[in-house]
């Protein structure tokens, strides 16, 4: 049968009942393909790393074959452009799955610790560091990117051998079922993935049942609530939260590139992008003098967008208060009532915002940008580093100067002469600082974050001096070993060797 969203399953998910993908919606969508066996209730964690990574990598073929269904099910008031779904979610997701299929095994492989660099007192010991599953990973999905973000997190959790509980965001239930079905059709056991309901209660109940890791993409406020519950059971968490990202325009920046990047980042996905630009910090210089005027002209022609219901009142409150306190609406198209009542707004570019106003340090999930002129680069760096939200930033200018600036920014990701798009590279980790969260997903670091470390140390041979009864030569012998191992210079090492030799002779005599 063709892979089409099953109406009965859709009804159940909307009623917030936990679900798994079943044979009714997990068949491969490729013509002539046969459904892969699922090994019943076998323990996914016991499958080899190679096999798990191969299956997860194979899911990209299933997702590619379902592009039309996934694109259609992703449509919403905020996501009206199918090209955005394909470009910002499906292509990067499939790239990430291919990376796991190709590099996951090596990343997760045990690391042997043998002779090289072994401390002298560890003679006879060889160890191995293993990356082991955490058990059950609870993924709390997001509505603005319901495929890429939970999709990569789920893929990495599964490749690491975990079982996944995926809680979609409200409004993302249908596309989440299709996403899970693609993984099951690729060969992930049905028992390894459970699709929960989309309510807050579903997440709370899942955490209360016990999980090995919580992965959240959401607002800072939601992050605090999740972490409070996680703290009760000391459950580790990875939280990617809100951003108030800045773009810094240095002297010598390509003005066309700055304007194109800002317009793209501000309007992409109706402004509902956590690393979209919210502050434009412009260094005062003849080469940057045209940026503000050019950006305003570009945004004045932009279409109206829909703001998600959960963000409307908060965005309107911030803009209204900023205007009441002296900020200037440079475009003159802002309509507070239309935003509050209908969720519709044109882009807003604010100037003369008071330095201490909340809009400069609040997560605004809409196409709103504040334009801030500064005289010195130190001012720009301080504005970024003192903001509580530090997810990412962009720097525009000559590469050497831009890189020097980037290395002084305390954020998770810095893009130079670009915006948003480079973060989709499957080889790169992604995470923030401050109230933008902690921990990373994606890339090798994100894959390892889905595991715990287990060390197995094996001693061979009969020698184990630490197991012998204490005697009066112990301190002298250990001091000699310390000096022999860590002294610099041949003179000190020779003296240490003599001390060890003398102490060892005395130690053996006392032992008799």
């Amino acid at each position: 049968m063709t892979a089409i969203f099953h109406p009965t399953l859709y009804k159940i998910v909307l009623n917030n009942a936990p679900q798994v993908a079943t044979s009714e919606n997990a068949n491969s969508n490729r013509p002539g393909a046969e459904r892969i066996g699922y090994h019943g209730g076998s323990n996914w964690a016991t499958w080899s790393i190679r096999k798990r990574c191969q299956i997860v990598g194979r899911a990209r073929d299933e997702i590619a074959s379902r592009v039309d269904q996934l694109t259609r099910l992703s449509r919403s008031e905020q996501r009206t452009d199918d090209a955005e779904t394909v470009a910002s979610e499906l292509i990067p997701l499939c790239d990430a799955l291919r990376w796991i299929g190709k590099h996951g095994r090596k990343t997760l492989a045990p690391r042997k610790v043998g002779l090289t660099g072994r401390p002298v007192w560890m003679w006879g010991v060889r160890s191995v560091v293993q990356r082991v599953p955490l058990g059950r990973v609870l993924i709390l999905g997001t509505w603005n990117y319901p495929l890429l973000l939970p999709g990569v997190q789920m893929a990495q959790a599964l490749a690491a051998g975990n079982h996944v509980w995926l809680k979609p965001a409200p409004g993302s239930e249908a596309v989440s079922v299709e996403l899970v079905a693609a993984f099951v059709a690729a060969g992930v056991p049905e028992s390894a993935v459970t699709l929960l309901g989309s309510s807050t209660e579903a997440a709370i109940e899942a955490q209360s049942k016990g999980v090995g890791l919580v992965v959240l993409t959401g607002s800072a406020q939601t992050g605090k609530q999740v972490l409070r519950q996680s703290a009760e059971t000391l459950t580790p968490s990875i939280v990617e939260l809100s951003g108030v990202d800045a773009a810094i325009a240095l002297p010598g920046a390509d003005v066309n590139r700055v304007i194109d990047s800002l317009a793209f980042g501000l309007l992409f996905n109706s402004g509902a992008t956590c690393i979209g630009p919210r502050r434009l910090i412009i260094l005062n210089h003849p080469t940057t003098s045209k940026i503000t005027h050019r950006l305003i002209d570009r945004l004045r022609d932009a279409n109206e967008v829909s703001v998600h219901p959960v963000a409307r009142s908060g965005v309107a409150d911030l803009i209204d208060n900023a205007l009441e306190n002296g900020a200037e609406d440079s475009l003159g198209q802002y309509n507070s009532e239309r935003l509050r009542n209908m969720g519709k707004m044109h882009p807003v570019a604010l100037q003369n915002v008071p330095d201490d106003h909340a809009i400069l340090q609040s997560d605004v999930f809409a196409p709103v940008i504040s334009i801030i002129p500064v005289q010195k680069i130190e001012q720009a760096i301080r504005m970024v580093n003192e903001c509580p939200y530090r997810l990412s930033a962009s720097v525009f200018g000559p590469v050497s100067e831009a890189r020097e600036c980037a290395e002084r920014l305390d954020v998770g990701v810095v893009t130079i002469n670009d915006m948003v798009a480079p973060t989709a590279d499957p080889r790169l980790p992604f995470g923030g600082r401050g109230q933008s969260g902690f921990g990373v997903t994606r890339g090798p670091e994100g894959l390892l974050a889905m595991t715990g470390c287990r060390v197995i140390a094996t001693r061979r041979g009969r020698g184990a001096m630490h197991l012998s009864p204490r005697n009066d030569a112990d301190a002298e012998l250990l001091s000699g070993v310390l000096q022999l191992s860590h002294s610099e210079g041949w003179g000190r090492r020779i003296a240490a060797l003599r001390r060890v030799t003398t102490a060892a002779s005395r130690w053996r005599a006392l032992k008799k």
Side-chain angles (χ1 to χ4, degrees):
M1 60 178 280
T2 57
I4 187 169
F5 189 72
H6 194 263
T8 302
L9 185 59
Y10 179 58
K11 180 178 180 181
I12 293 174
V13 171
L14 289 182
N15 287 332
N16 295 318
Q19 278 294 315
V20 297
T22 70
S23 59
E24 296 183 69
N25 73 328
N27 286 352
S28 175
N29 201 34
R30 293 168 292 162
E34 295 183 0
R35 186 169 180 271
I36 299 169
Y38 299 103
H39 302 267
S42 63
N43 189 349
W44 172 244
T46 65
W47 295 27
S48 70
I49 297 173
R50 177 180 181 180
K51 185 64 175 178
R52 295 197 306 257
C53 291
Q54 283 179 339
I55 290 173
V56 170
R58 189 188 299 149
R60 67 191 177 96
D61 183 30
E62 290 296 334
I63 289 173
S65 70
R66 297 163 186 251
V67 60
D68 295 327
Q69 297 98 303
L70 291 167
T71 301
R72 173 174 54 81
L73 294 170
S74 296
R75 293 173 190 156
S76 66
E77 285 188 81
Q78 291 72 46
R79 176 70 62 77
T80 59
D81 185 351
D82 290 347
E84 286 191 357
T85 299
V86 178
S88 67
E89 298 217 69
L90 293 175
I91 290 177
L93 174 55
C94 287
D95 286 340
L97 296 173
R98 176 164 53 190
W99 184 90
I100 291 173
K102 187 174 182 179
H103 301 284
R105 178 188 178 189
K106 183 177 180 180
T107 303
L108 295 169
R111 177 171 62 90
K112 294 182 179 180
V113 183
L115 299 176
T116 304
R118 183 173 62 186
V120 295
W121 51 274
M122 279 292 177
W123 186 262
V125 176
R126 296 191 182 187
S127 304
V128 61
V129 181
Q130 299 174 331
R131 308 301 307 205
V132 297
L134 295 169
R136 183 184 295 132
V137 174
L138 172 62
I139 297 174
L140 305 177
T142 179
W143 56 265
N144 60 325
Y145 289 96
L147 289 169
L148 173 62
L149 301 184
V152 175
Q153 294 161 5
M154 180 167 62
Q156 291 192 314
L158 289 169
N162 299 290
H163 286 227
V164 169
W165 279 358
L166 173 61
K167 190 209 84 69
S172 304
E173 298 91 348
V175 72
S176 297
V177 171
E178 190 71 17
L179 177 64
V180 170
F183 278 89
V184 174
V188 174
E190 295 174 359
S191 59
V193 187
T194 300
L195 184 61
L196 305 176
S198 59
S199 66
T200 301
E201 291 73 21
I204 294 173
E205 181 182 0
Q207 274 194 267
S208 67
K209 291 180 178 179
V211 296
L213 175 69
V214 178
V215 183
L216 166 70
T217 306
S219 68
Q221 187 59 39
T222 301
K224 293 176 182 178
Q225 295 170 355
V226 170
L227 290 174
R228 288 190 192 101
Q229 188 175 358
S230 296
E232 293 297 322
T233 53
L234 297 178
T235 302
S237 303
I238 298 171
V239 288
E240 183 215 311
L241 307 177
S242 310
V244 188
D245 293 353
I248 300 175
L250 301 177
D254 182 332
V255 174
N256 291 331
R257 174 58 64 87
V258 174
I259 301 305
D260 290 343
S261 298
L262 288 169
F264 166 76
L266 192 63
L267 297 169
F268 195 77
N269 203 30
S270 297
T273 298
C274 57
I275 54 175
R278 301 291 172 246
R279 295 171 294 164
L280 170 59
I281 305 173
I282 305 176
L283 270 292
N284 187 26
H285 191 269
T287 60
T288 60
S289 60
K290 297 180 180 179
I291 291 177
T292 298
H293 177 71
R294 290 274 305 278
L295 178 62
I296 291 171
D297 284 347
R298 171 70 72 84
L299 295 179
R300 186 171 284 119
D301 296 330
N303 295 327
E304 197 175 43
V305 302
S306 293
V307 178
H308 196 276
V310 300
R312 293 171 185 174
S313 61
V315 171
D317 288 345
L318 284 168
I319 298 174
D320 289 347
N321 189 267
L323 295 174
E324 291 170 2
N325 284 275
E328 175 190 348
D329 175 14
S330 300
L331 299 176
Q333 298 174 326
Y334 172 65
N335 185 320
S336 179
E337 292 303 314
R338 183 166 173 77
L339 172 57
R340 292 178 187 275
N341 297 331
M342 301 181 64
K344 301 290 185 180
M345 68 176 293
H346 288 281
V348 173
L350 298 175
Q351 295 189 76
N352 301 318
V353 180
D355 293 343
D356 59 350
H357 196 274
I359 201 168
L360 301 178
Q361 296 193 339
S362 300
D363 50 335
V364 182
F365 230 47
V368 180
I369 191 167
S370 299
I371 303 173
I372 309 167
V374 296
Q375 299 299 318
K376 297 181 179 180
I377 185 64
E378 286 73 18
Q379 292 175 271
I381 293 170
R382 186 170 61 252
M383 286 182 184
V384 173
N385 291 347
E386 291 181 355
C387 180
Y389 297 97
R390 301 189 301 279
L391 192 54
S392 76
S394 298
V395 183
F396 295 88
V399 172
S400 58
E401 289 90 336
R403 183 179 293 276
E404 182 180 349
C405 175
E407 291 177 350
R408 298 173 65 185
L409 300 179
D410 183 22
V411 300
V413 179
V414 184
T415 55
I416 294 177
N417 295 326
D418 202 349
M419 186 172 289
V420 180
T423 64
D425 188 328
R427 301 168 296 176
L428 302 179
F430 188 82
R433 303 281 193 277
Q435 293 189 29
S436 289
F438 50 83
V440 297
T441 58
R442 294 187 258 169
E445 292 82 1
L447 181 55
L448 292 174
M450 299 291 179
T451 68
C453 286
R454 178 171 63 203
V455 176
I456 298 179
T458 303
R459 180 177 290 278
R460 293 180 171 87
R462 301 182 63 183
M465 294 181 63
H466 59 286
L467 300 180
S468 300
R470 292 283 300 277
N471 68 47
D472 293 340
D474 286 345
E476 182 69 11
L477 179 59
L478 291 172
S479 297
V481 170
L482 170 64
Q483 291 178 334
L484 180 62
S485 300
H486 299 288
S487 295
E488 295 184 359
W490 286 108
R492 291 186 177 184
R493 290 181 181 177
I494 291 172
L497 180 60
R498 290 171 179 163
R499 186 175 184 179
V500 168
T501 302
T502 302
S505 297
R506 185 182 174 212
W507 187 87
R508 285 192 294 270
L510 292 171
K511 184 179 179 182
K512 294 180 180 178

